[in-house]
Amino acid sequence: MSLRAGIVGCGGISRSHAAAYDSLADVALVAMCDINQDALNNRADEYGVSNRYNDYEEMFADESLDLVSVCTHAPLHAPITIAAAKAGIHVLCEKPLSVDLETADQMLTACNKADVHLAVSHQFRFTPLFRHAKSLVDAGEIGELRSIREVGKGREAGFELMEMGVHYFDEMDFFLDGISWIQAHITYQGHDVTEADIMHSSELCKTDRRDNGIVAGDTMLIHIGGAKGTYGIMELYKREQRQGWMMGPHLLGSEGQFMIKPNPKTGIDEMWYCPFDVSFATHTPAWEQIGLDTSAFIISGKAWRSRHTIWSAKNMRDAILNGNQPELGGHNALTSLECVSATYVSHFSEKKVSLPLDERSHPLVSS
Ligand SMILES: NC(=O)c1ccc[n+]([C@@H]2O[C@H](COP(=O)([O-])OP(=O)(O)OC[C@H]3O[C@@H](n4cnc5c(N)ncnc54)[C@H](O)[C@@H]3O)[C@@H](O)[C@H]2O)c1
């Protein structure tokens, strides 16, 4: 029998969740919900879903769902997840998991109490190229892993931290086998961020509709301490798009480098290797592309070559069917958001901050 899946929030990312449930064996997409009737009808028409709701509580009560994707903006992730848990439904939640650790903890408590999974959809790590890169790094193909570097897409850093930063933290958690600490420095309009620079995400970033709660700063340099002593470096700053978005890890080892970036023309991820530890203008050997057999990307007869939600949804489906914890379930669902809080705590305390944090309230909101 197929798992009955639903989706709350029928905007941009819902297409990727709908495509996943539409394609995965043993899952049937049966119901969708949005307060915006046009958004609901558009997405439900696209995937032939006839059970449509404007109220998620009503959908949870009526549909006997096994699994729901929470695809609204971040401030609604907690109330929707908690309602789903109370209805006994497993939750695959979009990132960022929530706007602060306090509400994220409440989500996890509600899911644990109801004995349902809570997983966050950081799909990058589940893709075949990321898995392949990890296996090559672990096999010593670039010597000793020294660092991972990531750069934002060019939106104001406080906003970007909640959009791409959480994905990058998860990526680093994956490649570094866990994150131990964060050390960050944040500026706004050229000066060190102070309490006067704390604002709502819509005030900071006027070019993106998404609500990421309270944020600060247009520029961030974040150092990430991996569990085994290797470093991550994240740079988020305002800039124009160049050569596509360039999102993806640059892994530097003592004997070589790997990069996974979307091709700027096709948007399809590519993995590249350079057999040298650092880059000199004149003496760097040529980069070569590392391909994977097409079969690695096939799910239900179709090749999924980029960072599609189907990769995290598949892990969630398997966890439900096999009675395991999803890879980004339980406390692992909180890690990337722990890093967001730690970034602000580190900046304001001017200290290196260990994870997990004791203080769970939003670091930018005074109680
Ligand atoms: N994992 C990824 O790669 C990825 C990519 C894009 C977006 N996201 C995340 O997905 C989330 C949604 O982003 P988006 O770009 O799809 O946003 P969006 O603005 O396109 O869509 C959000 C939808 O939620 C609906 N909504 C609002 N309140 C609702 C309610 N009470 N009940 C039901 N529906 C409601 C809105 O009407 C809208 O249609 C964000 O958290 C974002 O960060 C993740």
Side-chain angles (χ1 to χ4, degrees):
M1 206 182 71
S2 285
L3 296 174
R4 290 172 60 80
I7 294 176
V8 180
C10 295
I13 196 62
S14 70
R15 172 176 281 135
S16 198
H17 287 254
Y21 296 141
D22 194 46
S23 299
L24 283 173
D26 300 319
V27 181
L29 177 59
V30 296
M32 297 181 99
C33 167
D34 201 297
I35 51 169
N36 177 326
Q37 194 63 37
D38 287 340
L40 174 62
N41 286 339
N42 286 343
R43 192 66 73 234
D45 285 350
E46 191 178 341
Y47 287 91
V49 174
S50 49
N51 299 359
R52 305 176 185 189
Y53 296 83
N54 300 119
D55 178 340
Y56 58 83
E57 302 256 17
E58 213 178 295
M59 179 170 89
F60 296 159
D62 288 0
E63 288 292 337
S64 304
L65 297 177
D66 298 295
L67 166 65
V68 69
S69 281
V70 177
C71 298
T72 59
H73 297 178
L76 283 178
H77 291 177
I80 297 171
T81 296
I82 291 166
K86 285 186 179 155
I89 304 166
H90 298 288
V91 177
L92 179 61
C93 185
E94 260 310 334
K95 59 79 191 164
L97 185 65
S98 189
V99 287
D100 56 40
L101 291 172
E102 197 170 7
T103 48
D105 287 345
Q106 290 163 5
M107 294 162 77
L108 186 56
T109 301
C111 288
N112 286 344
K113 197 169 159 200
D115 201 19
V116 294
H117 295 314
L118 169 63
V120 64
S121 189
H122 290 305
Q123 70 275 28
F124 298 10
R125 66 157 66 206
F126 296 106
T127 65
L129 280 183
F130 275 66
R131 295 276 156 172
H132 188 53
K134 174 80 166 111
S135 70
L136 294 177
V137 167
D138 288 349
E141 292 291 326
I142 53 170
E144 190 186 338
L145 181 63
R146 303 300 309 158
S147 64
I148 307 178
R149 182 168 179 262
E150 272 286 8
V151 180
K153 282 182 172 178
R155 293 169 291 205
E156 291 80 356
F159 182 90
E160 187 71 339
L161 188 67
M162 297 292 263
E163 286 298 328
M164 294 312 295
V166 285
H167 274 318
Y168 297 163
F169 284 134
D170 181 63
E171 189 184 292
M172 295 192 185
D173 182 56
F174 176 61
F175 282 109
L176 302 177
D177 296 315
I179 295 175
S180 300
W181 54 261
I182 299 286
Q183 185 151 29
H185 185 247
I186 312 174
T187 60
Y188 181 59
Q189 297 181 343
H191 62 263
D192 286 7
V193 156
T194 69
E195 285 181 9
D197 303 311
I198 296 171
M199 61 186 79
H200 191 266
S201 68
S202 57
E203 199 184 328
L204 179 68
C205 176
K206 297 190 164 53
T207 55
D208 196 298
R209 67 190 175 284
R210 283 168 289 200
D211 179 349
N212 278 315
I214 303 299
V215 298
D218 54 23
T219 303
M220 292 183 185
L221 176 63
I222 307 167
H223 289 168
I224 294 108
K228 293 181 178 165
T230 305
Y231 298 104
I233 302 157
M234 198 192 298
E235 292 171 53
L236 307 178
Y237 55 95
K238 186 111 183 67
R239 70 183 168 110
E240 294 302 312
Q241 178 182 5
R242 279 206 310 267
Q243 299 295 319
W245 289 122
M246 300 304 290
M247 58 173 185
H250 182 178
L251 299 145
L252 284 137
S254 58
E255 291 164 31
Q257 307 173 43
F258 287 130
M259 247 192 226
I260 303 176
K261 305 276 184 194
N263 179 296
K265 291 204 177 74
T266 63
I268 291 173
D269 270 345
E270 291 176 354
M271 180 170 167
W272 290 79
Y273 165 69
C274 173
F276 204 63
D277 56 342
V278 287
S279 302
F280 286 110
T282 52
H283 296 296
T284 306
W287 285 76
E288 56 194 76
Q289 191 173 355
I290 297 185
L292 275 182
D293 191 86
T294 307
S295 61
F297 300 98
I298 302 285
I299 298 176
S300 301
K302 190 178 156 193
W304 304 79
R305 291 187 166 273
S306 284
R307 299 177 208 175
H308 302 282
T309 304
I310 197 163
W311 296 108
S312 45
K314 181 171 175 287
N315 183 265
M316 182 65 160
R317 176 204 63 183
D318 293 348
I320 297 170
L321 293 177
N322 300 329
N324 305 328
Q325 187 64 250
E327 188 168 312
L328 285 177
H331 279 285
N332 291 346
L334 272 68
T335 304
S336 54
L337 195 61
E338 294 267 0
C339 294
V340 169
S341 279
T343 296
Y344 289 117
V345 173
S346 171
H347 172 79
F348 281 103
S349 66
E350 298 184 12
K351 289 199 173 106
K352 192 171 96 174
V353 173
S354 298
L355 301 185
L357 293 171
D358 292 330
E359 178 55 56
R360 311 303 284 175
S361 60
H362 197 308
L364 303 179
V365 179
S366 44
S367 48

